[in-house]
Amino acid sequence: MGAIRSVDGGPLRRTARGAGRVLRAPFRAAARGVRRATHAHGAGESGLGKLIELHAVNSAGDMLITVALASTVFFSVPTDQARGRVALYLAVTMAPFTLLAPVIGPLLDRIPHGRRAAMAGAMLTRALLALTMSGAVASGGLELYPAALGVLVASKAYGVVRSAVVPRLLPPRISLVKANSRVTLGGLLATGLAAPLGAGLHKIGPEYPLYGAFVVFVLGTVLSFSLPHKVDSAKGEARARLVSGEPSSYRSRRAAAPAGWTVRRSWKGGNRVGNKAGKKNGARKNRPPGLRTVGSSVLHALQANSALRMLSGFLTFFLAFLLRIHPLGGLSPAFSLAFVAVAAGAGNALGTAIGALLRSRGPEKTIALVLTVSLGTAVATAVFYGAFFVVVIAAVAGISQALGKQSLDSLIQRDVPEAVRTSAFARSETLLQMSWVAGGAIGILLPLNGTLGMAVASAVLALGVATAVRGLLTAARRGSPHPRVA
């Protein structure tokens, strides 16, 4: 009888185990639900599900660092001092990043066989920098800013590698645009969960969100190596250059050239077939293919998305300062900022969901539509400036950015040759991040006048409409020479 009690543990131990199972049940059920969602439609077998989970961890860690920096650089000081601190933050972090960003893509192109290690390195770097910042975040010392620059560069390096990885993990039943929308939506959900967690940790102490970020990024470092080995494969890939408009005659001559021979273009536009590559008579070696066969759709989509990304950066900084001085009617500055942030986040999530439902049909028309609607909303906000229109433009900006980016992804999938597609994602992401930096800088420099700010936002979008919409609609009417159904 004693033996039975020792094995069974007695009634008290049985009760404790039962209570533990009851307490763990909701978490296990939630984990199983998340796993089913991320691994659906073949994503589990291809490895895409693991990438979705990794990106969720990445987004949660970035949000925890954002909470810590925002509380130190922005909320802890009066508005005039906050503008100076944020301007310093932009000067010390964003300006160098603008110079470093064009280097990130080509540098990562050179290590295609180490993508898992590159993602793990980006995670581990941010984990260590989070610990470094935890000592300076309370005082707001200058040593905080170089560490923040390192976090920013590591975060964008991860984003570039992630864009290159997605095409390698596509299940047969999921298109690239759907895969990107799933990854993005997973990141948005994780960001929404991490924001209140970060706020709660900040109540304990200003350094605690950074301790949380350290733990999250260490987990991300481990998860990076759980991705399939095919992530590190570079079979069939080459580096891409964002160049438009290869003449059809050049394409036909190149296609007709004998094996081992290369077609060269003269400065006058003529074509000639050179001798075999490597011979002494001046024939050039075969070069990696550039983005020369895609027409103008991708470049016009990049122009439009750059305008939308500038709007996002502008609204982020301009409204952050404006609403501290002129909050929305009946709300405190903190609640005004939170309300606008929720509207922008909800718009981004809605745009991501709509993009997945569109199945990438008519991406040129989608980009032209969201850019035009954004311009109309900005003009209306400038004319009828008020709380309602501030919330509306934040939501519209979120929807437009998500739909515009996913439509750009769809165009790259459809028009860019597979050999350079992953590199094209890296280059386009770098350009969009630089546009966001430029928009944020404009938002910092402008006087805090709502009508003036929305007029400037309208001008930025009008420039995007003037440079991109006509070309997008013309390309949509002409149709793709290589149509692909998502």
Side-chain angles (χ1 to χ4, degrees), residues 24-110:
R24 290 193 299 267
F27 298 99
R28 288 180 174 176
R32 285 195 295 268
V34 169
R35 179 56 62 92
R36 282 196 299 270
T38 58
H39 286 57
H41 302 107
E45 292 78 3
S46 70
L48 180 64
K50 290 184 177 180
L51 180 63
I52 295 172
E53 294 167 357
L54 175 63
H55 185 63
V57 170
N58 171 82
S59 300
D62 277 345
M63 174 51 65
L64 291 174
I65 288 184
T66 300
V67 169
L69 289 177
S71 62
T72 301
V73 176
F74 183 73
F75 288 109
S76 62
V77 294
T79 301
D80 292 338
Q81 295 182 33
R83 291 193 80 177
R85 283 196 179 191
V86 173
L88 178 63
Y89 177 83
L90 280 178
V92 177
T93 59
M94 296 295 187
F97 173 72
T98 303
L99 300 176
L100 289 173
V103 181
I104 293 175
L107 178 63
L108 293 172
D109 273 340
R110 298 182 182 276

Side-chain angles (χ1 to χ4, degrees), residues 35-386:
R35 179 56 62 92
R36 282 196 299 270
T38 58
H39 286 57
H41 302 107
E45 292 78 3
S46 70
L48 180 64
K50 290 184 177 180
L51 180 63
I52 295 172
E53 294 167 357
L54 175 63
H55 185 63
V57 170
N58 171 82
S59 300
D62 277 345
M63 174 51 65
L64 291 174
I65 288 184
T66 300
V67 169
L69 289 177
S71 62
T72 301
V73 176
F74 183 73
F75 288 109
S76 62
V77 294
T79 301
D80 292 338
Q81 295 182 33
R83 291 193 80 177
R85 283 196 179 191
V86 173
L88 178 63
Y89 177 83
L90 280 178
V92 177
T93 59
M94 296 295 187
F97 173 72
T98 303
L99 300 176
L100 289 173
V103 181
I104 293 175
L107 178 63
L108 293 172
D109 273 340
R110 298 182 182 276
I111 53 170
H113 296 288
R115 288 176 181 149
R116 294 189 303 169
M119 298 173 85
M123 293 282 186
L124 184 59
T125 298
R126 281 178 286 172
L128 297 177
L129 289 174
L131 283 184
T132 301
M133 287 191 294
S134 64
V137 71
S139 62
L142 289 179
E143 64 271 19
L144 179 68
Y145 298 96
L149 170 62
V151 169
L152 180 65
V153 171
S155 178
K156 300 314 173 187
Y158 161 84
V160 168
V161 179
R162 188 211 74 196
S163 297
V165 163
V166 172
R168 290 288 174 189
L169 301 178
L170 277 183
R173 291 178 289 171
I174 298 180
S175 67
L176 186 59
V177 68
K178 275 194 171 184
N180 277 290
S181 68
R182 281 195 181 190
V183 174
T184 302
L185 190 57
L188 289 173
L189 293 174
T191 298
L193 294 174
L197 174 62
L201 290 173
H202 185 263
K203 294 291 185 181
I204 303 174
E207 69 277 10
Y208 278 87
L210 293 169
Y211 293 152
F214 170 79
V215 174
V216 169
F217 285 129
V218 168
L219 174 62
T221 303
V222 176
L223 289 178
S224 298
F225 289 106
S226 70
L227 294 174
H229 289 281
K230 61 184 175 181
V231 164
D232 291 331
S233 171
K235 182 179 179 181
E237 293 184 12
R239 284 174 290 175
R241 288 171 290 174
L242 295 176
V243 182
S244 176
E246 178 185 76
S248 59
S249 60
Y250 176 60
R251 291 199 299 270
S252 61
R253 284 291 192 90
R254 188 178 60 186
W261 292 55
T262 181
V263 178
R264 292 185 288 171
R265 300 174 63 186
S266 70
W267 288 104
K268 295 180 180 180
N271 306 318
R272 57 195 177 95
V273 179
N275 292 329
K276 287 191 175 182
K279 289 201 172 182
K280 295 181 180 180
N281 56 6
R284 291 185 240 175
K285 293 182 180 180
N286 289 321
R287 291 182 175 179
L291 298 184
R292 298 179 181 273
T293 61
V294 300
S296 60
S297 293
V298 171
L299 289 182
H300 285 311
L302 275 170
Q303 291 168 345
N305 274 271
S306 295
L308 292 172
R309 196 62 66 96
M310 284 187 71
L311 174 66
S312 174
F314 173 80
L315 292 178
T316 298
F317 289 96
F318 183 74
L319 291 181
F321 289 111
L322 180 67
L323 295 180
R324 287 191 69 173
I325 298 177
H326 306 292
L328 301 179
L331 296 176
S332 67
F335 275 104
S336 298
L337 288 172
F339 201 65
V340 171
V342 168
N348 206 321
L350 180 60
T352 301
I354 293 173
L357 295 175
L358 287 177
R359 298 178 177 271
S360 75
R361 288 188 172 89
E364 295 98 341
K365 293 180 180 178
T366 300
I367 296 173
L369 175 63
V370 297
L371 184 59
T372 304
V373 170
S374 297
L375 173 59
T377 306
V379 171
T381 306
V383 175
F384 306 104
Y385 182 81

Side-chain angles (χ1 to χ4, degrees), residues 2-27:
I4 294 176
R5 276 197 299 270
S6 64
V7 172
D8 199 41
L12 184 59
R13 185 169 295 180
R14 287 198 302 272
T15 302
R17 283 201 299 267
R21 283 194 294 268
V22 171
L23 293 175
R24 290 193 299 267
F27 298 99

